[in-house]
Amino acid sequence: MTDKNSWKSLRENAPLLSYSLLFQNLQQREVLADILSLGLEFDFILAQASEPMLALIRLKWWEEQIANSAKGDSLPLLGQINSHIAAGFLRRAQVISLLERWQDYAESDPQNSQNTGQKCWSELLAICAHLCGFEDDKLTQEIGAALYDSRNGYTPSDLPSARQIHQSYGKGAEFLIILAYLARRGTDAGITSDNLILFKIIWQVLAKPSA
């Protein structure tokens, strides 16, 4: 699967998330698209399972395929993730740790599910940030948690502005700026039908508003 196909696949499944990678270089876009797709895949597994045990079985299958460096002939995303591991862009331990986060999420009770889900996307975004040369810090985790909240109908906590994110990370952090913007607007029912959404995303990156 090429970068074009990785990003295209993400765009088909999650158009708004795919826009977050518009300003990344080609290598970053390929790996980040697959990591975001992996988070969506794990969320889909939990959403489709009629009971936690079924989700855990499927997640365990993924864990075994990652541990055994499976080629993923029947599942291109699996092959892509293992190819990124083989190339040194990802560490196997990082992906296994993500799987463990989602396993905890699958087993969490309703009172703790939001917090456990936030940890899934916080860790996923920390991996993305690390791949772009940024340290895993509180800001990255906050954006990941807010992204989870916005995707699941919760009101995200206050997030830093585009200008603040740029001041913290500099060039290459455009995807964080865009994801923070999408998280802030995530509970807006009209976001998917906003004909100007792409323009607004680009404006966030180019103008870097302070609010």
Side-chain angles (χ1 to χ4, degrees):
M1 184 181 289
T2 63
D3 161 65
K4 181 179 179 180
N5 288 333
S6 292
W7 187 77
K8 180 180 178 181
S9 177
L10 178 62
R11 185 174 182 182
E12 290 172 350
N13 292 310
L16 294 177
L17 280 183
S18 74
Y19 293 155
S20 70
L21 306 181
L22 286 172
F23 292 87
Q24 306 309 122
N25 65 49
L26 291 179
Q27 180 176 293
Q28 291 174 349
R29 191 184 303 166
E30 175 183 10
V31 184
L32 297 183
D34 287 330
I35 294 173
L36 290 172
S37 293
L38 192 64
L40 296 177
E41 174 70 17
F42 293 163
D43 275 353
F44 179 77
I45 289 172
L46 267 63
Q48 291 297 304
S50 57
E51 55 183 87
M53 183 57 67
L54 296 177
L56 290 169
I57 290 172
R58 185 61 179 170
L59 291 171
K60 184 63 177 179
W61 178 88
W62 264 91
E63 184 177 347
E64 292 171 349
Q65 301 306 302
I66 294 296
N68 296 327
S69 302
K71 293 183 179 180
D73 294 334
S74 61
L75 190 60
L77 179 59
L78 172 60
Q80 276 296 95
I81 294 298
N82 275 329
S83 70
H84 296 322
I85 292 172
F89 297 126
L90 277 174
R91 289 184 289 108
R92 183 169 286 104
Q94 290 176 309
V95 183
I96 296 298
S97 180
L98 272 185
L99 278 158
E100 290 172 350
R101 286 291 190 190
W102 258 271
Q103 288 166 350
D104 290 343
Y105 185 24
E107 295 182 296
S108 62
D109 55 51
Q111 291 81 6
N112 296 320
S113 63
Q114 181 183 5
N115 180 258
T116 311
Q118 288 176 339
K119 290 179 179 178
C120 292
W121 281 88
S122 289
E123 185 161 335
L124 184 142
L125 207 58
I127 292 174
C128 291
H130 179 74
L131 286 166
C132 294
F134 306 126
E135 293 296 325
D136 171 18
D137 62 12
K138 184 178 179 181
L139 178 55
T140 301
Q141 294 174 21
E142 287 176 352
I143 297 172
L147 189 60
Y148 167 84
D149 284 345
S150 68
R151 286 173 46 78
N152 289 275
Y154 300 107
T155 301
S157 57
D158 290 337
L159 284 169
S161 68
R163 185 168 300 174
Q164 290 171 319
I165 294 172
H166 177 73
Q167 289 172 344
S168 295
Y169 296 111
K171 185 173 177 54
E174 290 81 4
F175 78 102
L176 291 173
I177 290 174
I178 296 170
L179 289 175
Y181 172 72
L182 293 176
R184 284 194 293 270
R185 286 204 55 186
T187 54
D188 177 359
I191 188 171
T192 56
S193 59
D194 187 345
N195 294 327
L196 296 177
I197 187 62
L198 187 55
F199 169 81
K200 293 174 181 177
I201 285 172
I202 293 172
W203 185 76
Q204 286 286 317
V205 172
L206 298 182
K208 300 179 182 62
S210 57

